[in-house]
Coordinates of all heavy atoms in Angstrom, one line a residue:
M1 N -3.8 24.0 43.0 CA -3.2 22.6 42.9 C -3.3 22.2 41.4 O -2.3 21.7 40.8 CB -3.9 21.6 43.8 CG -3.5 20.2 43.6 SD -1.8 20.1 44.3 CE -1.7 18.4 44.4
T2 N -4.5 22.3 40.8 CA -4.7 21.9 39.4 C -3.8 22.7 38.5 O -3.1 22.1 37.5 CB -6.1 22.1 39.0 OG1 -6.9 21.4 39.8 CG2 -6.4 21.6 37.5
M3 N -3.7 24.0 38.7 CA -2.8 24.8 37.8 C -1.3 24.4 38.0 O -0.7 24.4 37.0 CB -3.0 26.3 38.2 CG -2.2 27.2 37.3 SD -2.8 27.0 35.7 CE -3.6 28.5 35.5
S4 N -0.9 24.0 39.1 CA 0.5 23.6 39.3 C 0.8 22.3 38.5 O 1.9 22.1 37.9 CB 0.9 23.5 40.8 OG 0.1 22.5 41.3
I5 N -0.2 21.4 38.5 CA 0.0 20.2 37.7 C 0.0 20.5 36.2 O 0.8 19.9 35.5 CB -1.2 19.2 38.1 CG1 -1.0 18.7 39.5 CG2 -1.2 18.0 37.2 CD1 -2.2 17.9 40.1
V6 N -0.9 21.3 35.8 CA -0.9 21.6 34.3 C 0.4 22.4 34.0 O 1.0 22.0 32.9 CB -2.1 22.6 34.0 CG1 -2.0 23.1 32.6 CG2 -3.4 21.7 34.2
L7 N 0.9 23.3 34.8 CA 2.2 23.9 34.5 C 3.4 23.0 34.5 O 4.3 23.1 33.7 CB 2.4 25.1 35.4 CG 1.4 26.3 35.3 CD1 1.6 27.4 36.3 CD2 1.6 26.9 33.9
A8 N 3.3 22.0 35.4 CA 4.4 21.0 35.5 C 4.4 20.2 34.2 O 5.4 19.9 33.6 CB 4.2 20.1 36.7
A9 N 3.2 19.8 33.7 CA 3.1 19.0 32.5 C 3.6 19.8 31.3 O 4.3 19.3 30.4 CB 1.7 18.6 32.3
L10 N 3.2 21.1 31.2 CA 3.7 22.0 30.1 C 5.2 22.1 30.2 O 5.9 22.1 29.2 CB 3.0 23.4 30.3 CG 3.4 24.4 29.2 CD1 3.0 23.9 27.8 CD2 2.8 25.7 29.5
F11 N 5.7 22.2 31.4 CA 7.2 22.3 31.6 C 7.9 21.1 31.1 O 8.9 21.1 30.4 CB 7.6 22.6 33.1 CG 9.0 22.6 33.3 CD1 9.8 23.7 32.8 CD2 9.6 21.5 34.0 CE1 11.2 23.7 33.1 CE2 11.0 21.6 34.2 CZ 11.8 22.6 33.7
M12 N 7.3 19.9 31.4 CA 7.8 18.6 30.9 C 7.9 18.6 29.4 O 8.8 18.1 28.8 CB 7.0 17.5 31.5 CG 7.3 17.0 32.9 SD 6.2 15.7 33.4 CE 6.5 14.5 32.2
A13 N 6.8 19.0 28.8 CA 6.7 19.0 27.3 C 7.9 19.9 26.7 O 8.5 19.5 25.8 CB 5.4 19.4 26.8
V14 N 8.0 21.1 27.2 CA 9.0 22.0 26.7 C 10.4 21.4 27.0 O 11.3 21.5 26.1 CB 8.8 23.4 27.3 CG1 10.0 24.3 26.9 CG2 7.5 24.0 26.8
L15 N 10.6 21.0 28.2 CA 11.9 20.4 28.6 C 12.2 19.2 27.7 O 13.4 19.1 27.3 CB 11.9 20.0 30.1 CG 13.2 19.4 30.6 CD1 14.3 20.4 30.6 CD2 12.9 18.9 32.0
D16 N 11.3 18.4 27.4 CA 11.6 17.3 26.6 C 12.0 17.7 25.2 O 12.9 17.0 24.6 CB 10.3 16.4 26.5 CG 10.7 15.0 25.9 OD1 11.6 14.4 26.3 OD2 10.0 14.7 24.9
S17 N 11.5 18.7 24.6 CA 11.9 19.2 23.3 C 13.4 19.6 23.4 O 14.2 19.3 22.5 CB 11.1 20.4 22.9 OG 9.8 20.0 22.5
F18 N 13.8 20.3 24.5 CA 15.1 20.7 24.7 C 16.1 19.5 24.9 O 17.2 19.5 24.4 CB 15.3 21.7 25.9 CG 14.7 23.0 25.6 CD1 13.8 23.6 26.4 CD2 15.1 23.8 24.5 CE1 13.3 24.9 26.2 CE2 14.6 25.1 24.2 CZ 13.7 25.6 25.0
I19 N 15.6 18.5 25.6 CA 16.4 17.3 25.8 C 16.7 16.6 24.5 O 17.8 16.2 24.2 CB 15.7 16.3 26.7 CG1 15.7 16.9 28.1 CG2 16.3 14.9 26.7 CD1 14.8 16.2 29.2
V20 N 15.7 16.5 23.6 CA 15.9 16.0 22.3 C 17.0 16.7 21.5 O 17.9 16.2 20.8 CB 14.6 15.8 21.4 CG1 14.9 15.4 20.0 CG2 13.7 14.9 22.2
V21 N 16.9 18.0 21.6 CA 17.9 18.9 20.8 C 19.3 18.7 21.4 O 20.3 18.6 20.7 CB 17.5 20.4 20.9 CG1 18.6 21.3 20.4 CG2 16.2 20.6 20.1
V22 N 19.4 18.7 22.8 CA 20.7 18.6 23.4 C 21.3 17.2 23.2 O 22.5 17.0 23.2 CB 20.5 18.9 24.9 CG1 21.8 18.5 25.7 CG2 20.2 20.3 25.2
A23 N 20.5 16.2 23.0 CA 20.9 14.8 22.8 C 21.5 14.6 21.4 O 22.1 13.5 21.2 CB 19.8 13.8 23.1
D24 N 21.3 15.5 20.5 CA 21.8 15.3 19.1 C 23.3 14.9 19.0 O 23.6 14.0 18.3 CB 21.6 16.6 18.3 CG 20.2 16.8 17.9 OD1 19.4 15.8 18.0 OD2 19.8 17.9 17.5
P25 N 24.2 15.6 19.7 CA 25.6 15.2 19.5 C 25.9 13.8 20.0 O 26.6 13.0 19.4 CB 26.4 16.2 20.4 CG 25.5 17.4 20.5 CD 24.1 16.8 20.4
S26 N 25.2 13.4 21.1 CA 25.3 12.0 21.6 C 24.7 11.0 20.6 O 25.2 9.9 20.4 CB 24.6 11.9 23.0 OG 25.2 12.7 23.9
I27 N 23.6 11.3 20.0 CA 23.0 10.5 19.0 C 23.9 10.3 17.9 O 24.1 9.1 17.4 CB 21.6 11.0 18.6 CG1 20.6 10.9 19.7 CG2 21.1 10.3 17.4 CD1 19.3 11.7 19.4
M28 N 24.5 11.4 17.4 CA 25.4 11.3 16.3 C 26.6 10.4 16.6 O 27.1 9.6 15.8 CB 25.8 12.7 15.8 CG 24.7 13.5 15.2 SD 25.2 15.1 14.6 CE 26.1 14.7 13.2
A29 N 27.2 10.6 17.8 CA 28.4 9.9 18.2 C 28.1 8.4 18.5 O 28.8 7.5 17.9 CB 29.0 10.5 19.4
D30 N 27.1 8.1 19.3 CA 26.9 6.8 19.7 C 26.3 5.9 18.6 O 26.6 4.7 18.5 CB 25.9 6.8 20.9 CG 26.5 7.4 22.1 OD1 27.7 7.6 22.2 OD2 25.7 7.7 23.1
L31 N 25.4 6.5 17.7 CA 24.8 5.7 16.7 C 25.4 5.9 15.4 O 24.9 5.3 14.4 CB 23.3 6.0 16.6 CG 22.5 5.8 17.9 CD1 21.1 6.3 17.7 CD2 22.6 4.4 18.4
H32 N 26.5 6.6 15.3 CA 27.2 6.9 14.0 C 26.1 7.4 13.0 O 26.1 7.0 11.8 CB 27.9 5.7 13.5 CG 28.9 5.1 14.5 ND1 30.0 5.8 14.9 CD2 28.8 4.0 15.2 CE1 30.6 5.0 15.8 NE2 29.9 3.9 16.0
A33 N 25.3 8.3 13.5 CA 24.2 8.9 12.6 C 24.7 10.1 11.8 O 25.6 10.9 12.4 CB 23.0 9.3 13.4
S34 N 24.2 10.3 10.7 CA 24.5 11.4 9.9 C 23.7 12.7 10.3 O 22.8 12.5 11.1 CB 24.3 11.2 8.4 OG 22.9 11.0 8.2
D35 N 24.0 13.8 9.8 CA 23.2 15.0 10.1 C 21.8 14.9 9.7 O 20.9 15.3 10.4 CB 23.8 16.3 9.4 CG 25.1 16.7 10.0 OD1 25.4 16.4 11.2 OD2 25.9 17.3 9.3
S36 N 21.6 14.2 8.6 CA 20.2 14.1 8.1 C 19.4 13.1 9.0 O 18.2 13.3 9.2 CB 20.1 13.6 6.6 OG 20.7 12.3 6.5
D37 N 20.1 12.1 9.5 CA 19.4 11.2 10.4 C 18.9 11.9 11.7 O 17.8 11.7 12.2 CB 20.4 10.0 10.9 CG 20.7 9.1 9.7 OD1 19.9 9.0 8.8 OD2 21.8 8.5 9.8
V38 N 19.8 12.8 12.2 CA 19.4 13.5 13.4 C 18.3 14.5 13.1 O 17.4 14.7 13.9 CB 20.7 14.2 14.0 CG1 20.3 15.2 15.1 CG2 21.7 13.2 14.4
Q39 N 18.3 15.1 11.9 CA 17.3 16.0 11.5 C 15.9 15.2 11.4 O 14.9 15.8 11.8 CB 17.5 16.6 10.2 CG 18.6 17.7 10.3 CD 18.9 18.3 8.9 OE1 18.7 17.7 7.9 NE2 19.4 19.6 9.0
W40 N 16.0 14.0 10.9 CA 14.8 13.2 10.9 C 14.2 12.9 12.3 O 13.0 12.9 12.6 CB 15.0 11.9 10.2 CG 14.8 11.9 8.7 CD1 15.8 11.9 7.8 CD2 13.6 12.1 8.0 NE1 15.4 12.1 6.5 CE2 14.0 12.2 6.6 CE3 12.3 12.3 8.4 CZ2 13.0 12.4 5.7 CZ3 11.3 12.5 7.4 CH2 11.7 12.5 6.0
V41 N 15.1 12.7 13.2 CA 14.7 12.4 14.6 C 14.0 13.7 15.2 O 12.9 13.6 15.8 CB 15.9 12.0 15.5 CG1 15.5 12.1 17.0 CG2 16.4 10.7 15.1
L42 N 14.6 14.8 15.0 CA 14.0 16.1 15.5 C 12.7 16.4 14.8 O 11.7 16.8 15.5 CB 15.0 17.2 15.3 CG 16.2 17.3 16.2 CD1 17.1 18.4 15.8 CD2 15.8 17.5 17.7
A43 N 12.7 16.3 13.5 CA 11.5 16.6 12.7 C 10.3 15.6 13.1 O 9.2 16.0 13.3 CB 11.7 16.6 11.2
G44 N 10.7 14.4 13.3 CA 9.7 13.4 13.6 C 9.1 13.7 15.0 O 7.9 13.6 15.2
Y45 N 10.0 14.1 15.9 CA 9.5 14.4 17.3 C 8.6 15.6 17.3 O 7.5 15.6 17.8 CB 10.6 14.6 18.2 CG 10.2 15.0 19.6 CD1 9.8 14.0 20.5 CD2 10.1 16.3 20.0 CE1 9.3 14.4 21.8 CE2 9.7 16.7 21.3 CZ 9.3 15.7 22.1 OH 8.8 16.0 23.4
Q46 N 9.0 16.6 16.7 CA 8.2 17.9 16.7 C 7.0 17.8 15.9 O 5.9 18.3 16.3 CB 9.1 19.1 16.2 CG 10.2 19.4 17.2 CD 11.2 20.3 16.8 OE1 11.3 20.7 15.6 NE2 12.0 20.8 17.7
L47 N 7.0 17.2 14.7 CA 5.8 16.9 13.9 C 4.7 16.1 14.6 O 3.6 16.4 14.7 CB 6.2 16.4 12.6 CG 5.0 16.2 11.6 CD1 4.4 17.6 11.2 CD2 5.5 15.5 10.4
S48 N 5.2 15.0 15.3 CA 4.3 14.2 16.0 C 3.7 14.9 17.1 O 2.5 14.7 17.4 CB 5.1 12.9 16.5 OG 5.6 12.2 15.5
Y49 N 4.5 15.7 17.9 CA 3.9 16.5 19.0 C 2.9 17.4 18.5 O 1.8 17.5 19.1 CB 5.0 17.2 19.7 CG 4.6 18.0 20.9 CD1 4.4 17.3 22.1 CD2 4.3 19.3 20.8 CE1 4.0 18.0 23.2 CE2 3.9 20.0 22.0 CZ 3.7 19.3 23.1 OH 3.3 20.0 24.3
A50 N 3.1 18.1 17.4 CA 2.2 19.1 16.9 C 0.9 18.5 16.4 O -0.2 19.0 16.7 CB 2.9 19.9 15.8
V51 N 1.0 17.4 15.8 CA -0.2 16.7 15.2 C -1.0 16.1 16.3 O -2.3 16.2 16.3 CB 0.2 15.6 14.2 CG1 -1.0 14.8 13.8 CG2 0.8 16.3 12.9
F52 N -0.5 15.4 17.2 CA -1.2 14.6 18.2 C -1.6 15.4 19.4 O -2.4 14.9 20.2 CB -0.4 13.4 18.6 CG -0.3 12.4 17.5 CD1 0.9 12.1 16.9 CD2 -1.4 11.8 17.0 CE1 1.0 11.3 15.8 CE2 -1.3 10.9 15.9 CZ -0.2 10.6 15.4
I53 N -1.2 16.7 19.6 CA -1.7 17.5 20.7 C -3.1 17.8 20.5 O -3.9 17.8 21.4 CB -0.8 18.7 20.9 CG1 -1.1 19.3 22.2 CG2 -1.1 19.7 19.8 CD1 -0.5 18.6 23.4
I54 N -3.5 17.9 19.2 CA -4.9 18.2 18.9 C -5.8 17.0 19.2 O -6.9 17.1 19.7 CB -5.1 18.7 17.5 CG1 -4.3 20.0 17.3 CG2 -6.5 18.8 17.0 CD1 -4.2 20.5 15.8
T55 N -5.2 15.8 18.8 CA -5.9 14.6 19.1 C -6.1 14.3 20.6 O -7.1 13.9 21.0 CB -5.1 13.4 18.5 OG1 -5.0 13.6 17.1 CG2 -5.9 12.1 18.7
A56 N -5.1 14.6 21.3 CA -5.1 14.5 22.8 C -6.2 15.4 23.4 O -6.9 15.0 24.4 CB -3.7 14.7 23.4
T57 N -6.3 16.6 22.8 CA -7.3 17.5 23.3 C -8.7 17.0 23.1 O -9.6 17.1 24.0 CB -7.1 18.9 22.6 OG1 -5.8 19.4 22.9 CG2 -8.1 19.9 23.2
R58 N -8.9 16.4 22.0 CA -10.2 15.9 21.6 C -10.5 14.6 22.5 O -11.6 14.4 23.0 CB -10.3 15.5 20.2 CG -11.6 14.9 19.8 CD -12.7 15.9 19.9 NE -14.0 15.3 19.5 CZ -15.1 15.5 20.0 NH1 -15.2 16.3 21.0 NH2 -16.2 14.9 19.6
L59 N -9.5 13.8 22.7 CA -9.7 12.7 23.6 C -10.0 13.1 25.1 O -10.8 12.4 25.7 CB -8.5 11.7 23.6 CG -8.2 11.0 22.3 CD1 -6.9 10.3 22.4 CD2 -9.4 10.0 22.0
A60 N -9.4 14.2 25.5 CA -9.7 14.7 26.8 C -11.1 15.2 26.9 O -11.7 15.0 27.9 CB -8.7 15.8 27.1
D61 N -11.6 15.8 25.8 CA -13.1 16.2 25.8 C -14.0 14.9 25.9 O -15.0 15.0 26.5 CB -13.4 16.9 24.6 CG -12.8 18.4 24.6 OD1 -12.3 18.8 25.7 OD2 -12.6 18.9 23.5
L62 N -13.6 13.9 25.2 CA -14.4 12.7 25.2 C -14.3 11.8 26.5 O -15.4 11.4 27.0 CB -14.1 11.8 24.0 CG -14.4 12.4 22.6 CD1 -13.8 11.5 21.6 CD2 -15.9 12.6 22.5
Y63 N -13.1 11.6 27.0 CA -12.9 10.7 28.1 C -12.6 11.3 29.4 O -12.4 10.6 30.4 CB -11.8 9.6 27.7 CG -12.2 8.9 26.5 CD1 -11.6 9.1 25.3 CD2 -13.2 7.9 26.6 CE1 -11.9 8.3 24.2 CE2 -13.5 7.1 25.4 CZ -12.8 7.4 24.3 OH -13.2 6.6 23.1
G64 N -12.4 12.6 29.4 CA -12.1 13.3 30.7 C -10.7 13.7 30.7 O -9.8 13.0 30.2
R65 N -10.4 14.8 31.2 CA -9.1 15.4 31.2 C -8.1 14.6 32.1 O -7.0 14.4 31.8 CB -9.1 16.9 31.6 CG -9.7 17.7 30.5 CD -9.9 19.2 30.9 NE -10.3 20.0 29.8 CZ -11.6 20.0 29.4 NH1 -12.5 19.3 30.0 NH2 -11.9 20.7 28.4
K66 N -8.6 14.2 33.3 CA -7.7 13.5 34.3 C -7.3 12.2 33.7 O -6.1 11.8 33.7 CB -8.4 13.3 35.6 CG -7.5 12.6 36.6 CD -8.2 12.5 37.9 CE -7.4 11.9 39.0 NZ -8.0 11.7 40.3
R67 N -8.2 11.4 33.1 CA -7.9 10.1 32.6 C -7.0 10.2 31.4 O -6.0 9.5 31.3 CB -9.2 9.4 32.1 CG -8.9 8.0 31.4 CD -10.2 7.5 30.9 NE -10.9 6.9 32.1 CZ -12.2 6.5 31.9 NH1 -12.8 6.5 30.8 NH2 -12.9 6.0 33.0
T68 N -7.2 11.2 30.5 CA -6.4 11.4 29.4 C -5.0 11.9 29.8 O -3.9 11.4 29.2 CB -7.0 12.4 28.4 OG1 -8.3 12.0 28.1 CG2 -6.1 12.6 27.1
F69 N -4.9 12.7 30.8 CA -3.6 13.2 31.3 C -2.8 12.0 31.9 O -1.6 11.9 31.5 CB -3.8 14.3 32.4 CG -2.5 14.7 33.0 CD1 -1.8 15.6 32.3 CD2 -2.2 14.3 34.2 CE1 -0.6 16.1 32.9 CE2 -1.0 14.7 34.8 CZ -0.2 15.7 34.2
L70 N -3.5 11.2 32.7 CA -2.7 10.1 33.3 C -2.3 9.0 32.2 O -1.2 8.5 32.3 CB -3.6 9.4 34.3 CG -3.9 10.3 35.6 CD1 -4.8 9.6 36.5 CD2 -2.5 10.6 36.3
F71 N -3.1 8.8 31.2 CA -2.8 7.9 30.1 C -1.6 8.5 29.4 O -0.7 7.7 29.0 CB -4.0 7.7 29.2 CG -3.7 6.8 28.0 CD1 -3.5 5.4 28.2 CD2 -3.5 7.4 26.8 CE1 -3.3 4.6 27.1 CE2 -3.2 6.6 25.7 CZ -3.1 5.2 25.9
G72 N -1.6 9.8 29.1 CA -0.5 10.4 28.4 C 0.8 10.3 29.1 O 1.8 10.1 28.5
V73 N 0.8 10.6 30.4 CA 2.0 10.5 31.2 C 2.5 9.1 31.2 O 3.7 8.8 31.1 CB 1.7 11.0 32.7 CG1 2.9 10.7 33.6 CG2 1.5 12.5 32.7
A74 N 1.7 8.1 31.4 CA 2.1 6.6 31.3 C 2.7 6.3 30.0 O 3.7 5.7 29.9 CB 0.9 5.8 31.7
L75 N 2.0 6.7 28.9 CA 2.5 6.4 27.5 C 3.8 7.1 27.3 O 4.7 6.5 26.7 CB 1.5 6.8 26.5 CG 1.6 6.3 25.1 CD1 1.5 4.8 25.1 CD2 0.5 6.9 24.3
F76 N 4.0 8.4 27.7 CA 5.2 9.1 27.6 C 6.3 8.4 28.3 O 7.5 8.2 27.8 CB 5.0 10.5 28.2 CG 6.2 11.3 28.1 CD1 6.6 12.0 27.0 CD2 7.1 11.5 29.2 CE1 7.7 12.8 27.0 CE2 8.2 12.2 29.2 CZ 8.6 12.9 28.0
T77 N 6.1 7.9 29.5 CA 7.1 7.2 30.3 C 7.5 5.9 29.6 O 8.7 5.6 29.4 CB 6.6 6.9 31.7 OG1 6.2 8.1 32.3 CG2 7.6 6.2 32.5
L78 N 6.6 5.1 29.1 CA 6.9 3.9 28.4 C 7.7 4.1 27.1 O 8.6 3.4 26.8 CB 5.6 3.1 28.1 CG 4.9 2.5 29.3 CD1 3.6 1.9 28.9 CD2 5.7 1.4 30.0
A79 N 7.3 5.2 26.4 CA 8.0 5.5 25.1 C 9.4 6.0 25.5 O 10.3 5.8 24.7 CB 7.2 6.6 24.4
S80 N 9.6 6.7 26.6 CA 10.9 7.2 26.9 C 11.8 6.0 27.3 O 13.0 6.0 26.9 CB 10.8 8.1 28.2 OG 10.2 9.3 27.8
V81 N 11.3 4.9 27.9 CA 12.0 3.7 28.2 C 12.4 3.0 26.9 O 13.5 2.6 26.7 CB 11.3 2.7 29.1 CG1 11.9 1.4 29.2 CG2 11.1 3.4 30.5
A82 N 11.4 3.0 25.9 CA 11.7 2.4 24.6 C 12.9 3.2 23.9 O 13.7 2.5 23.2 CB 10.5 2.4 23.8
C83 N 12.9 4.5 24.0 CA 13.9 5.3 23.4 C 15.3 5.0 24.0 O 16.3 4.9 23.3 CB 13.6 6.8 23.6 SG 12.4 7.4 22.5
A84 N 15.3 4.7 25.3 CA 16.6 4.4 26.0 C 17.1 3.1 25.6 O 18.3 2.8 25.7 CB 16.3 4.5 27.5
C85 N 16.2 2.2 25.1 CA 16.6 0.8 24.8 C 17.0 0.6 23.3 O 17.2 -0.5 22.8 CB 15.5 -0.2 25.1 SG 15.2 -0.2 26.9
H86 N 17.0 1.7 22.6 CA 17.3 1.6 21.1 C 18.7 1.1 20.8 O 19.6 1.3 21.7 CB 17.0 2.9 20.4 CG 18.1 4.0 20.8 ND1 18.0 4.7 21.9 CD2 19.2 4.4 20.2 CE1 19.0 5.5 22.0 NE2 19.8 5.3 20.9
R87 N 18.9 0.6 19.7 CA 20.3 0.1 19.2 C 20.8 0.8 18.0 O 22.0 0.9 17.8 CB 20.2 -1.4 19.0 CG 19.9 -2.2 20.2 CD 21.1 -2.4 21.1 NE 20.8 -3.2 22.2 CZ 21.1 -3.0 23.4 NH1 21.8 -1.9 23.7 NH2 20.8 -3.8 24.4
T88 N 19.8 1.3 17.2 CA 20.2 1.9 15.9 C 19.4 3.2 15.7 O 18.4 3.4 16.4 CB 20.0 1.0 14.7 OG1 18.6 0.8 14.6 CG2 20.7 -0.3 14.9
Q89 N 19.9 4.0 14.8 CA 19.1 5.3 14.5 C 17.8 4.9 13.9 O 16.8 5.6 14.1 CB 20.0 6.1 13.6 CG 19.4 7.6 13.4 CD 18.3 7.5 12.4 OE1 18.3 6.8 11.4 NE2 17.3 8.4 12.5
A90 N 17.7 3.9 13.1 CA 16.5 3.5 12.4 C 15.5 3.1 13.5 O 14.2 3.3 13.3 CB 16.7 2.4 11.4
A91 N 15.9 2.5 14.6 CA 15.0 2.1 15.6 C 14.6 3.3 16.5 O 13.5 3.4 17.1 CB 15.6 1.1 16.5
L92 N 15.5 4.3 16.5 CA 15.2 5.5 17.4 C 14.1 6.4 16.8 O 13.3 6.8 17.6 CB 16.5 6.2 17.6 CG 16.4 7.5 18.5 CD1 16.0 7.2 19.9 CD2 17.8 8.2 18.5
S93 N 14.2 6.7 15.6 CA 13.2 7.6 15.0 C 11.8 7.4 15.3 O 11.1 8.2 15.8 CB 13.5 7.8 13.5 OG 14.8 8.4 13.3
P94 N 11.3 6.2 15.1 CA 9.9 6.0 15.4 C 9.6 6.0 16.9 O 8.5 6.4 17.3 CB 9.6 4.5 14.9 CG 10.8 4.1 14.1 CD 11.9 5.1 14.4
R95 N 10.5 5.6 17.7 CA 10.2 5.7 19.2 C 10.2 7.1 19.7 O 9.4 7.4 20.5 CB 11.3 4.9 19.9 CG 11.2 3.4 19.6 CD 12.3 2.6 20.3 NE 12.1 1.2 20.0 CZ 13.0 0.3 20.0 NH1 14.2 0.7 20.4 NH2 12.8 -0.9 19.7
V96 N 11.1 8.0 19.2 CA 11.0 9.3 19.5 C 9.7 10.0 19.1 O 9.1 10.7 19.8 CB 12.2 10.1 18.9 CG1 12.1 11.6 19.1 CG2 13.5 9.7 19.6
S97 N 9.2 9.6 17.9 CA 8.0 10.2 17.4 C 6.8 9.6 18.3 O 5.9 10.4 18.5 CB 7.7 9.8 15.9 OG 8.7 10.4 15.1
F98 N 6.9 8.4 18.6 CA 5.9 7.8 19.5 C 5.8 8.6 20.9 O 4.8 8.8 21.5 CB 6.1 6.4 19.7 CG 5.0 5.7 20.4 CD1 3.7 5.6 20.0 CD2 5.2 5.2 21.7 CE1 2.7 4.9 20.7 CE2 4.2 4.6 22.5 CZ 3.0 4.4 21.9
R99 N 7.0 8.9 21.4 CA 7.1 9.6 22.6 C 6.4 10.9 22.5 O 5.8 11.4 23.5 CB 8.6 9.7 23.1 CG 8.7 10.2 24.5 CD 10.1 10.2 24.9 NE 10.8 11.3 24.4 CZ 12.0 11.5 24.7 NH1 12.8 10.7 25.4 NH2 12.6 12.6 24.2
A100 N 6.6 11.6 21.4 CA 6.0 12.9 21.3 C 4.5 12.7 21.1 O 3.7 13.7 21.5 CB 6.5 13.6 20.0
W101 N 4.0 11.6 20.7 CA 2.6 11.3 20.6 C 1.9 11.3 21.9 O 0.7 11.5 22.0 CB 2.3 10.0 19.8 CG 0.9 9.7 19.5 CD1 0.2 10.3 18.5 CD2 0.1 8.8 20.1 NE1 -1.1 9.8 18.5 CE2 -1.2 8.9 19.5 CE3 0.2 7.9 21.2 CZ2 -2.3 8.1 19.9 CZ3 -0.9 7.1 21.5 CH2 -2.1 7.2 20.9
A102 N 2.6 11.1 23.0 CA 2.0 11.0 24.3 C 2.5 12.1 25.1 O 3.1 11.9 26.2 CB 2.5 9.7 24.9
P103 N 2.1 13.4 24.8 CA 2.6 14.5 25.6 C 1.9 14.5 27.0 O 0.7 14.2 27.0 CB 2.2 15.7 24.8 CG 1.2 15.3 24.0 CD 1.3 13.8 23.7
P104 N 2.6 14.8 28.0 CA 2.0 14.9 29.3 C 1.1 16.1 29.4 O 1.2 17.0 28.8 CB 3.1 14.9 30.3 CG 4.3 15.4 29.5 CD 4.1 15.1 28.1

């Protein structure tokens, strides 16, 4: 049971990276963003994910894996809602990075 939950979370993280990449044309069209704006969104997401995965691991050691996992899933969900409510590309970039900060 535990392994299936961990694998589901890993699948969510990988799937989310693909979703950000697939959403690029829509971001460009809907927000009238340039190529460099979209590159900032992708770079911000991937860099944030890479940096904060180590922090999340340390927090899991300190506060427990289950608590940290549930907090990460809740934070990821809230950040995803914030991304859906964006109006401009400038507002989207920090929200996407924040969403990466809360990997499930």
